[in-house]
Short mmCIF file of all heavy atoms in Angstrom, two decimals:
data_model
loop_
_atom_site.label_atom_id
_atom_site.label_comp_id
_atom_site.label_asym_id
_atom_site.label_seq_id
_atom_site.Cartn_x
_atom_site.Cartn_y
_atom_site.Cartn_z
N ALA B 35 21.98 15.47 -1.57
CA ALA B 35 20.72 14.89 -1.12
C ALA B 35 20.78 14.68 0.38
O ALA B 35 21.86 14.60 0.96
CB ALA B 35 20.45 13.57 -1.82
N GLY B 36 19.60 14.62 1.00
CA GLY B 36 19.61 14.40 2.44
C GLY B 36 18.24 14.32 3.05
O GLY B 36 17.23 14.25 2.36
N PHE B 37 18.25 14.33 4.37
CA PHE B 37 17.02 14.21 5.15
C PHE B 37 16.85 15.48 5.97
O PHE B 37 17.82 16.01 6.48
CB PHE B 37 17.12 13.00 6.08
CG PHE B 37 17.53 11.75 5.37
CD1 PHE B 37 18.85 11.35 5.35
CD2 PHE B 37 16.59 10.99 4.69
CE1 PHE B 37 19.23 10.21 4.67
CE2 PHE B 37 16.96 9.85 4.01
CZ PHE B 37 18.29 9.46 4.00
N GLY B 38 15.61 15.91 6.13
CA GLY B 38 15.39 17.14 6.86
C GLY B 38 16.18 18.27 6.20
O GLY B 38 16.15 18.41 4.99
N VAL B 40 19.48 18.49 6.61
CA VAL B 40 20.87 18.07 6.56
C VAL B 40 21.19 17.39 5.23
O VAL B 40 20.46 16.51 4.79
CB VAL B 40 21.17 17.08 7.71
CG1 VAL B 40 22.67 16.85 7.83
CG2 VAL B 40 20.57 17.58 9.00
N ASP B 41 22.30 17.79 4.59
CA ASP B 41 22.78 17.10 3.41
C ASP B 41 23.62 15.90 3.81
O ASP B 41 24.60 16.04 4.55
CB ASP B 41 23.65 18.05 2.57
CG ASP B 41 22.81 18.84 1.59
OD1 ASP B 41 21.61 18.56 1.49
OD2 ASP B 41 23.37 19.75 0.93
N VAL B 42 23.23 14.73 3.35
CA VAL B 42 24.06 13.54 3.61
C VAL B 42 25.06 13.38 2.47
O VAL B 42 26.21 13.00 2.68
CB VAL B 42 23.17 12.30 3.74
CG1 VAL B 42 24.01 11.04 3.78
CG2 VAL B 42 22.31 12.39 4.99
N LEU B 43 24.63 13.70 1.25
CA LEU B 43 25.50 13.62 0.08
C LEU B 43 25.82 15.02 -0.42
O LEU B 43 24.94 15.89 -0.43
CB LEU B 43 24.81 12.84 -1.05
CG LEU B 43 24.39 11.40 -0.76
CD1 LEU B 43 23.61 10.84 -1.94
CD2 LEU B 43 25.60 10.53 -0.47
N LEU B 58 30.27 0.35 -5.41
CA LEU B 58 30.19 1.57 -4.61
C LEU B 58 30.60 1.19 -3.20
O LEU B 58 29.87 0.47 -2.51
CB LEU B 58 28.77 2.12 -4.65
CG LEU B 58 28.51 3.43 -3.91
CD1 LEU B 58 29.36 4.55 -4.46
CD2 LEU B 58 27.04 3.80 -4.00
N LEU B 59 31.78 1.65 -2.80
CA LEU B 59 32.36 1.23 -1.51
C LEU B 59 32.29 2.37 -0.51
O LEU B 59 32.10 3.52 -0.87
CB LEU B 59 33.82 0.82 -1.71
CG LEU B 59 34.09 -0.23 -2.78
CD1 LEU B 59 35.58 -0.32 -3.08
CD2 LEU B 59 33.54 -1.57 -2.34
N GLY B 60 32.46 2.00 0.74
CA GLY B 60 32.52 3.05 1.76
C GLY B 60 32.15 2.49 3.11
O GLY B 60 31.43 1.48 3.20
N PRO B 61 32.62 3.14 4.18
CA PRO B 61 32.32 2.65 5.54
C PRO B 61 30.86 2.90 5.92
O PRO B 61 30.12 3.55 5.19
CB PRO B 61 33.26 3.48 6.41
CG PRO B 61 33.50 4.73 5.63
CD PRO B 61 33.45 4.34 4.19
N ASN B 62 30.47 2.40 7.07
CA ASN B 62 29.12 2.63 7.60
C ASN B 62 28.81 4.12 7.64
O ASN B 62 29.64 4.91 8.06
CB ASN B 62 28.99 2.09 9.03
CG ASN B 62 28.91 0.58 9.05
OD1 ASN B 62 29.81 -0.08 9.56
ND2 ASN B 62 27.87 0.03 8.49
N GLY B 63 27.62 4.46 7.19
CA GLY B 63 27.19 5.85 7.31
C GLY B 63 27.78 6.78 6.27
O GLY B 63 27.60 8.00 6.34
N ALA B 64 28.49 6.23 5.28
CA ALA B 64 29.11 7.09 4.26
C ALA B 64 28.07 7.71 3.34
O ALA B 64 28.32 8.75 2.73
CB ALA B 64 30.11 6.27 3.45
N GLY B 65 26.92 7.09 3.23
CA GLY B 65 25.88 7.62 2.35
C GLY B 65 25.61 6.75 1.14
O GLY B 65 24.96 7.18 0.19
N LYS B 66 26.08 5.52 1.16
CA LYS B 66 25.89 4.61 0.02
C LYS B 66 24.40 4.35 -0.23
O LYS B 66 23.92 4.48 -1.35
CB LYS B 66 26.62 3.28 0.27
CG LYS B 66 28.09 3.43 0.62
CD LYS B 66 28.78 2.09 0.81
CE LYS B 66 28.28 1.28 1.99
NZ LYS B 66 28.56 1.88 3.32
N SER B 67 23.69 3.98 0.84
CA SER B 67 22.26 3.71 0.67
C SER B 67 21.51 4.97 0.29
O SER B 67 20.56 4.93 -0.49
CB SER B 67 21.67 3.13 1.95
OG SER B 67 22.33 1.95 2.30
N THR B 68 21.95 6.09 0.85
CA THR B 68 21.31 7.36 0.51
C THR B 68 21.44 7.64 -0.98
O THR B 68 20.49 8.12 -1.62
CB THR B 68 21.92 8.50 1.34
OG1 THR B 68 21.85 8.15 2.72
CG2 THR B 68 21.19 9.80 1.11
N LEU B 69 22.59 7.31 -1.55
CA LEU B 69 22.78 7.52 -2.99
C LEU B 69 21.84 6.61 -3.80
O LEU B 69 21.22 7.06 -4.77
CB LEU B 69 24.25 7.25 -3.37
CG LEU B 69 24.63 7.43 -4.85
CD1 LEU B 69 24.20 8.79 -5.36
CD2 LEU B 69 26.12 7.23 -5.05
N MET B 70 21.69 5.36 -3.36
CA MET B 70 20.76 4.45 -4.05
C MET B 70 19.33 5.00 -3.99
O MET B 70 18.61 5.01 -4.98
CB MET B 70 20.78 3.06 -3.41
CG MET B 70 22.08 2.30 -3.55
SD MET B 70 22.54 2.00 -5.27
CE MET B 70 23.85 3.17 -5.46
N LYS B 71 18.94 5.44 -2.79
CA LYS B 71 17.59 5.99 -2.63
C LYS B 71 17.39 7.23 -3.49
O LYS B 71 16.31 7.46 -4.03
CB LYS B 71 17.33 6.35 -1.16
CG LYS B 71 17.16 5.15 -0.25
CD LYS B 71 16.94 5.63 1.19
CE LYS B 71 17.23 4.54 2.20
NZ LYS B 71 17.50 5.10 3.53
N GLY B 77 12.12 7.71 -0.28
CA GLY B 77 12.64 7.81 1.07
C GLY B 77 13.72 8.85 1.27
O GLY B 77 14.53 8.75 2.18
N ILE B 78 13.73 9.85 0.41
CA ILE B 78 14.72 10.90 0.56
C ILE B 78 13.96 12.22 0.65
O ILE B 78 12.92 12.37 0.03
CB ILE B 78 15.67 10.88 -0.68
CG1 ILE B 78 17.10 11.14 -0.27
CG2 ILE B 78 15.26 11.86 -1.72
CD1 ILE B 78 17.82 9.91 0.10
N HIS B 79 14.42 13.16 1.48
CA HIS B 79 13.63 14.38 1.65
C HIS B 79 13.92 15.43 0.59
O HIS B 79 13.04 16.10 0.12
CB HIS B 79 13.83 14.96 3.04
CG HIS B 79 13.24 14.11 4.11
ND1 HIS B 79 13.54 14.23 5.43
CD2 HIS B 79 12.38 13.08 4.03
CE1 HIS B 79 12.88 13.33 6.13
NE2 HIS B 79 12.17 12.61 5.30
N GLU B 110 18.54 -2.23 0.65
CA GLU B 110 19.18 -2.60 1.90
C GLU B 110 18.14 -3.29 2.79
O GLU B 110 17.01 -2.84 2.90
CB GLU B 110 19.64 -1.30 2.59
CG GLU B 110 20.50 -1.50 3.80
CD GLU B 110 21.11 -0.18 4.24
OE1 GLU B 110 20.44 0.88 4.13
OE2 GLU B 110 22.27 -0.20 4.68
N ASP B 188 22.00 -3.06 -3.01
CA ASP B 188 22.52 -2.45 -1.78
C ASP B 188 22.90 -3.54 -0.78
O ASP B 188 22.04 -4.11 -0.11
CB ASP B 188 21.46 -1.51 -1.18
CG ASP B 188 22.08 -0.55 -0.17
OD1 ASP B 188 23.19 -0.85 0.32
OD2 ASP B 188 21.45 0.49 0.13
N GLU B 189 24.17 -3.81 -0.69
CA GLU B 189 24.74 -4.82 0.22
C GLU B 189 23.98 -6.14 0.21
O GLU B 189 23.46 -6.59 1.23
CB GLU B 189 24.81 -4.26 1.65
CG GLU B 189 25.61 -2.97 1.71
CD GLU B 189 26.24 -2.71 3.07
OE1 GLU B 189 26.74 -3.67 3.68
OE2 GLU B 189 26.21 -1.55 3.51
N LEU B 192 25.15 -9.11 2.78
CA LEU B 192 25.23 -8.87 4.22
C LEU B 192 24.60 -10.01 5.02
O LEU B 192 23.46 -10.40 4.78
CB LEU B 192 24.50 -7.55 4.54
CG LEU B 192 24.85 -6.94 5.89
CD1 LEU B 192 26.29 -6.45 5.89
CD2 LEU B 192 23.91 -5.78 6.21
N VAL B 219 26.57 -1.98 -4.15
CA VAL B 219 27.03 -1.33 -2.91
C VAL B 219 27.62 -2.41 -2.02
O VAL B 219 27.00 -3.45 -1.79
CB VAL B 219 25.85 -0.64 -2.20
CG1 VAL B 219 26.28 -0.15 -0.83
CG2 VAL B 219 25.31 0.49 -3.05
N GLU B 220 28.82 -2.19 -1.56
CA GLU B 220 29.50 -3.18 -0.71
C GLU B 220 30.39 -2.47 0.30
O GLU B 220 30.83 -1.37 0.08
CB GLU B 220 30.39 -4.08 -1.57
CG GLU B 220 30.00 -5.53 -1.65
CD GLU B 220 29.64 -6.17 -0.33
OE1 GLU B 220 30.37 -6.05 0.68
OE2 GLU B 220 28.58 -6.82 -0.30
N GLN B 221 30.60 -3.14 1.42
CA GLN B 221 31.62 -2.62 2.34
C GLN B 221 32.90 -3.41 2.20
O GLN B 221 33.99 -2.89 2.37
CB GLN B 221 31.11 -2.75 3.77
CG GLN B 221 30.06 -1.72 4.11
CD GLN B 221 29.99 -1.50 5.60
OE1 GLN B 221 31.01 -1.42 6.27
NE2 GLN B 221 28.78 -1.41 6.10
N LEU B 236 33.05 6.08 -1.31
CA LEU B 236 32.31 7.18 -0.71
C LEU B 236 32.78 7.35 0.73
O LEU B 236 32.80 6.37 1.49
CB LEU B 236 30.82 6.83 -0.74
CG LEU B 236 29.80 7.92 -1.04
CD1 LEU B 236 30.10 8.54 -2.38
CD2 LEU B 236 28.40 7.32 -1.06
N GLY B 239 29.84 11.14 2.65
CA GLY B 239 28.94 11.79 1.71
C GLY B 239 29.59 12.40 0.49
O GLY B 239 28.94 13.11 -0.27
N1 ATP C 67 15.80 8.45 7.05
C1 ATP C 67 16.87 9.11 7.52
N2 ATP C 67 16.71 10.25 8.27
C2 ATP C 67 17.77 10.93 8.72
N3 ATP C 67 19.04 10.57 8.52
C3 ATP C 67 19.29 9.47 7.80
C4 ATP C 67 18.22 8.67 7.28
N4 ATP C 67 18.76 7.62 6.61
C5 ATP C 67 20.10 7.76 6.72
N5 ATP C 67 20.43 8.85 7.43
C6 ATP C 67 21.80 9.31 7.72
O1 ATP C 67 22.50 9.46 6.53
C7 ATP C 67 23.84 9.02 6.68
C8 ATP C 67 24.18 8.03 5.59
O2 ATP C 67 23.37 6.87 5.76
P1 ATP C 67 23.37 5.69 4.71
O3 ATP C 67 22.36 4.72 5.14
O4 ATP C 67 23.28 6.24 3.35
O5 ATP C 67 24.84 5.07 4.91
P2 ATP C 67 25.48 3.77 4.26
O6 ATP C 67 26.71 4.20 3.59
O7 ATP C 67 24.47 3.06 3.46
O8 ATP C 67 25.86 2.94 5.56
P3 ATP C 67 25.77 1.36 5.82
O9 ATP C 67 26.97 0.75 5.19
O10 ATP C 67 25.83 1.26 7.30
O11 ATP C 67 24.50 0.87 5.25
C9 ATP C 67 23.97 8.46 8.08
O12 ATP C 67 24.62 9.43 8.87
C10 ATP C 67 22.55 8.27 8.53
O13 ATP C 67 22.43 8.51 9.92
#
Side-chain angles (χ1 to χ4, degrees):
Chain B
F37 309 96
V40 191
D41 272 353
V42 171
L43 300 174
L58 182 60
L59 306 168
N62 286 114
K66 307 182 294 294
S67 301
T68 306
L69 180 53
M70 294 300 106
K71 288 179 199 159
I78 219 88
H79 292 164
E110 188 170 36
D188 197 341
E189 303 206 41
L192 198 68
V219 172
E220 245 315 311
Q221 286 203 42
L236 219 58

